[in-house]
Amino acid sequence: MNTVLMVEAMLSAIALGLCLLTTSLLIIRDDSQRIYLPLIVLFGAFSVTSISTIMELFSFTPFTAYLMQVANVLAVIVLFLLCPALWFYVRNITLRKSIKWRRKDLWHLVIFCIAIAQGIFLLALPEPLLKQILGEQSGPTTMLLIVAAISLFVLMIIWVIQSVIYLFFIIRRLMHHKTQLKDYFSTTDHQELIWIYCVAFLLLATLI
């Protein structure tokens, strides 16, 4: 078995365990204003991306191979939740008034909905074609393959642009409210502020 794949799967398993543990702790936390709801979404999305890597170790049968393809497509879809979720959390902790979720917040999910439509389109493709898109096998170049590949490429470009824009505004908001955040976290858990920057850096690293 590929050693690199084993290492990647092991790291993904560790990341999955940490994400699930963090998510469970956030769920049971007293959060009447739903400040931590975006974090639950964030770590849930990270969990899906970790599962897609782990699934590569179990693609021995046609069924498990198909599950791996589904996991890979889902991993692409949830990428579009990472930065909006982190943005909502940062926005929540920097607001000085009671948090109210507004209807216009749904605009942040427009690209995610487009990603869902793209995912459904990919999963509806014939299995050999989907394997070609995911780089698992080679085959003839058809018009449907070209359309699917171009649409996926454009979607990933959109994700890069989306991530850069969100991270810019996240970091700017954190720096603008730096003093306020230090006062807030000094009364609760000052280490929480540190890992917010770590998550932002991790998201930035995925773009490199």
Side-chain angles (χ1 to χ4, degrees):
M1 185 174 291
N2 192 320
T3 303
V4 176
L5 178 59
M6 285 289 294
V7 173
E8 290 179 351
M10 181 177 65
L11 294 176
S12 296
I14 295 173
L16 176 61
L18 292 174
C19 287
L20 293 178
L21 175 62
T22 304
T23 301
S24 63
L25 292 175
L26 290 171
I27 290 176
I28 64 176
R29 188 167 186 169
D30 184 20
D31 186 23
S32 59
Q33 292 186 331
R34 297 184 180 179
I35 295 177
Y36 295 100
L37 178 60
L39 280 188
I40 295 174
V41 174
L42 178 68
F43 286 108
F46 271 129
S47 299
V48 174
T49 60
S50 300
I51 290 174
S52 66
T53 303
I54 298 173
M55 284 296 297
E56 295 185 27
L57 292 177
F58 304 98
S59 58
F60 301 118
T61 66
F63 178 69
T64 55
Y66 176 73
L67 288 180
M68 185 192 72
Q69 294 169 8
V70 173
N72 286 333
V73 173
L74 290 177
V76 172
I77 294 174
V78 299
L79 286 177
F80 294 85
L81 281 178
L82 298 178
C83 285
L86 183 59
W87 160 256
F88 279 125
Y89 175 63
V90 171
R91 188 201 67 175
N92 288 351
I93 63 174
T94 52
L95 286 176
R96 298 186 179 183
K97 56 184 179 180
S98 179
I99 297 169
K100 293 182 180 180
W101 293 91
R102 301 160 295 183
R103 182 173 298 180
K104 66 179 183 179
D105 290 336
L106 295 176
W107 284 105
H108 291 269
L109 302 178
V110 169
I111 300 180
F112 172 65
C113 292
I114 295 175
I116 292 177
Q118 175 69 25
I120 294 174
F121 171 63
L122 291 176
L123 292 176
L125 293 173
E127 187 176 351
L129 202 59
L130 180 57
K131 287 184 177 180
Q132 285 183 254
I133 295 293
L134 298 177
E136 298 176 9
Q137 71 176 35
S138 58
T141 301
T142 63
M143 182 57 66
L144 184 58
L145 175 66
I146 294 174
V147 171
I150 291 178
S151 62
L152 181 59
F153 176 75
V154 171
L155 189 66
M156 297 312 297
I157 293 297
I158 293 174
W159 173 70
V160 172
I161 296 173
Q162 178 205 43
S163 300
V164 171
I165 293 174
Y166 269 99
L167 288 174
F168 169 77
F169 283 104
I170 287 170
I171 294 174
R172 189 180 74 167
R173 191 176 183 103
L174 286 173
M175 297 304 295
H176 179 71
H177 295 272
K178 189 174 182 180
T179 303
Q180 175 188 345
L181 288 173
K182 283 183 176 180
D183 293 340
Y184 172 78
F185 286 111
S186 64
T187 60
T188 55
D189 185 2
H190 69 280
Q191 294 181 349
E192 191 168 354
L193 182 59
I194 297 176
W195 68 258
I196 293 175
Y197 285 103
C198 291
V199 171
F201 177 77
L202 180 61
L203 290 174
L204 183 62
T206 60
L207 302 175
I208 302 176

